[in-house]
Amino acid sequence: MPSTALTPGTRPADTVEAVLARIADRGDDGVWITVADRHALLARATELEAVAPGERGPLHGVPVAVKDNIDVAGLPTTAACPAFARRADTDAGAVRRLREAGAIIVGKTNLDQFATGLNGGRSPYGAPESVFGGDLISGGSSSGSAVAVAAGVVPLALGTDTAGSGRVPAALNGILGLKPTRGIVGTSGVVPACRSLDCVSVFARELDDAARALDVLVGPDPADPWSRRHRPAAPVARPVLAVPGDLDVADAFAGDHATAAAFATAVLRAGATAGAVVETPTGPLREAGDLLYGGPWAAERLAALAEFADAHPDEVLPVIRTVIARGAEFSAVDTFRARHRLQELRAWTARLFERADLLLLPTVPTTFTRADLAAEPVARNLVLGRWTQATNLLDLAALALPAGTTPDGRPVGVTLLGPAHADRALLAAARTLLPALNPPIQEAP
């Protein structure tokens, strides 16, 4: 893959030309919905080149892709629905912070329509293929952002993550996917999926880039009623790591023995870097995740889209209409019952983090091809979220990490999770864990 690292002294204008050349070289790959005008990008580069070295921001001259459900001033926001498209007058809160730090916003990337899906194929703008090839899905909903980073087009990209959209595509493209604690990165200017759960996420290939982006993005967002103050937890040098103690191949990995074996290896390697390892049941985590699409939170998606879907029924993809329509099936009584059960599951999770600092889970149970998803779009999409859907409901922070490949060359990913505000603790732990999960390949003598 081409390097996206910025060499000291690289002119932002040269960076712009290099990124545009990489986009052109990849052709019609389904990654981008809108690429910013070259003249506008070069004008931004000129602006940055005029900044004195001592006054440059932490992302000076860094090219960034932005998922197309996040507003970028002067560019359309489509949420992968042409009839929804509107030109944004102002930047989303997260984009504004990137610009203030010196970033160059290259353009808007493809997604599962209205950020509803985890496979990357629910878009009229195409279905990006994983960088691993073989017709493998890119994952979604932040498909374009993940592939743009994994393919070496840009070093950083923004996605969103409600059910796993910032982690599933990271796993399926072999990169990092950081899902911050809910509310510490503002969501103003983000087209809502489930407003109470939505997060802006970060894709990167290097931990330093992810950490730098988090430092820039965290902060109050007065236009976001869910914005909250970040109270960072202190990293632990050798954290106690909780790992699943009740996995079976058929259920936990959808029958994928190769992915199950790869996760078992990842657990052994992670354990060698931890202060201690404790086993945990995962049933409560799975139960919490099932509430997202199988419970009344489906109604929150309907609340966000009902007016548009009613006015433009033929412009919303049929599978998206099916998913959001489920929201009408739940009563107020159902909602309170589910909230009460979720509170019990949150209490269980809090007790887990009293005996462990972090939790290690698979990111996805298995992989699928684009043909697989076309044949069975709903059930297989739910499989992809098996280990990610609980995270925001339980108010956890998460960091998806690559963990090598299966013997047949498919990507394997794991996710580190911690309680709210453990974001920097996750990044610190990953500095030791990531090399252990991806040891150098030994050359044959």
Side-chain angles (χ1 to χ4, degrees), residues 325-389:
R326 288 213 62 210
E329 299 174 7
F330 299 95
S331 69
V333 172
D334 294 329
T335 300
F336 278 101
R337 284 175 177 159
R339 288 183 63 85
H340 297 163
R341 180 54 182 155
L342 178 60
Q343 191 62 27
E344 293 170 349
L345 296 169
R346 285 179 173 176
W348 179 90
T349 306
R351 291 191 294 271
L352 170 62
F353 286 114
E354 288 173 358
R355 61 190 186 94
D357 298 300
L358 302 174
L359 169 66
L360 184 73
L361 293 176
T363 304
V364 293
T366 186
T367 60
F368 295 112
T369 65
R370 291 181 290 188
D372 290 334
L373 263 297
E376 199 171 334
V378 176
R380 286 176 172 154
N381 187 86
L382 288 173
V383 168
L384 292 168
R386 184 162 295 169
W387 297 110
T388 59
Q389 292 178 170

Side-chain angles (χ1 to χ4, degrees), residues 27-65:
D28 185 13
D29 57 4
V31 168
W32 301 88
I33 292 179
T34 303
V35 176
D37 177 74
R38 176 176 175 271
H39 296 293
L41 291 173
L42 289 174
R44 170 63 169 163
T46 300
E47 174 187 305
L48 291 170
E49 288 168 8
V51 178
E55 299 176 2
R56 292 174 179 173
L59 296 180
H60 180 84
V62 175
V64 179

Side-chain angles (χ1 to χ4, degrees), residues 100-192:
E100 290 172 351
I104 300 171
I105 309 303
V106 175
K108 309 293 291 297
T109 52
N110 202 357
L111 66 152
D112 284 317
Q113 191 176 73
F114 293 112
T116 300
L118 291 170
N119 61 78
R122 298 173 173 179
S123 170
Y125 296 98
E129 182 185 41
S130 166
V131 294
F132 286 84
D135 196 45
L136 291 173
I137 60 169
S138 60
S141 61
S142 309
S143 54
S145 287
V147 175
V149 170
V153 178
V154 292
L156 281 174
L158 293 187
T160 59
D161 191 314
T162 302
S165 296
R167 292 160 284 155
V168 169
L172 295 177
N173 288 280
I175 58 173
L176 306 171
L178 175 62
K179 189 219 71 73
T181 299
R182 282 191 296 108
I184 67 169
V185 177
T187 58
S188 64
V190 176
V191 178

Side-chain angles (χ1 to χ4, degrees), residues 388-417:
T388 59
Q389 292 178 170
T391 307
N392 284 334
L393 286 165
L394 295 174
D395 199 14
L396 306 180
L399 175 62
L401 303 171
T405 60
T406 59
D408 59 352
R410 293 177 293 124
V412 175
V414 299
T415 297
L416 272 180
L417 299 105

Side-chain angles (χ1 to χ4, degrees), residues 87-349:
R87 185 166 296 273
D89 296 324
T90 58
D91 286 331
V95 173
R96 174 180 53 79
R97 286 179 170 272
L98 292 177
R99 285 200 206 268
E100 290 172 351
I104 300 171
I105 309 303
V106 175
K108 309 293 291 297
T109 52
N110 202 357
L111 66 152
D112 284 317
Q113 191 176 73
F114 293 112
T116 300
L118 291 170
N119 61 78
R122 298 173 173 179
S123 170
Y125 296 98
E129 182 185 41
S130 166
V131 294
F132 286 84
D135 196 45
L136 291 173
I137 60 169
S138 60
S141 61
S142 309
S143 54
S145 287
V147 175
V149 170
V153 178
V154 292
L156 281 174
L158 293 187
T160 59
D161 191 314
T162 302
S165 296
R167 292 160 284 155
V168 169
L172 295 177
N173 288 280
I175 58 173
L176 306 171
L178 175 62
K179 189 219 71 73
T181 299
R182 282 191 296 108
I184 67 169
V185 177
T187 58
S188 64
V190 176
V191 178
C194 291
R195 288 193 68 191
S196 66
L197 301 178
D198 293 340
C199 296
V200 172
S201 66
V202 175
F203 295 101
R205 293 170 64 186
E206 304 292 337
L207 276 171
D208 285 345
D209 291 341
R212 198 164 31 144
L214 181 68
D215 287 342
V216 166
L217 291 168
V218 168
D221 184 346
D224 174 13
W226 277 272
S227 180
R228 68 205 276 199
R229 180 182 175 186
H230 184 33
R231 295 177 171 82
V236 176
R238 296 197 69 197
V240 176
L241 190 64
V243 300
D246 58 354
L247 302 187
D248 67 85
V249 176
D251 180 54
F253 298 97
D256 188 335
H257 288 269
T259 301
F263 181 70
T265 299
V267 168
L268 291 175
R269 290 173 174 169
T273 73
V277 174
V278 298
E279 290 193 346
T280 180
T282 59
L285 301 172
R286 293 278 301 278
E287 183 183 350
D290 289 344
L291 291 173
L292 188 59
Y293 285 105
W297 277 269
E300 191 168 18
R301 286 190 184 269
L302 181 60
L305 289 174
E307 185 175 346
F308 178 83
D310 288 345
H312 305 272
D314 296 332
E315 303 296 334
V316 179
L317 296 177
V319 67
I320 306 298
R321 290 202 305 270
T322 298
V323 171
I324 66 173
R326 288 213 62 210
E329 299 174 7
F330 299 95
S331 69
V333 172
D334 294 329
T335 300
F336 278 101
R337 284 175 177 159
R339 288 183 63 85
H340 297 163
R341 180 54 182 155
L342 178 60
Q343 191 62 27
E344 293 170 349
L345 296 169
R346 285 179 173 176
W348 179 90
T349 306

Side-chain angles (χ1 to χ4, degrees), residues 424-443:
R424 290 185 174 87
L426 295 174
L427 289 164
R431 294 193 182 282
T432 302
L433 181 55
L434 193 57
L437 292 173
N438 300 274
I441 298 173
Q442 298 296 322
E443 296 289 341

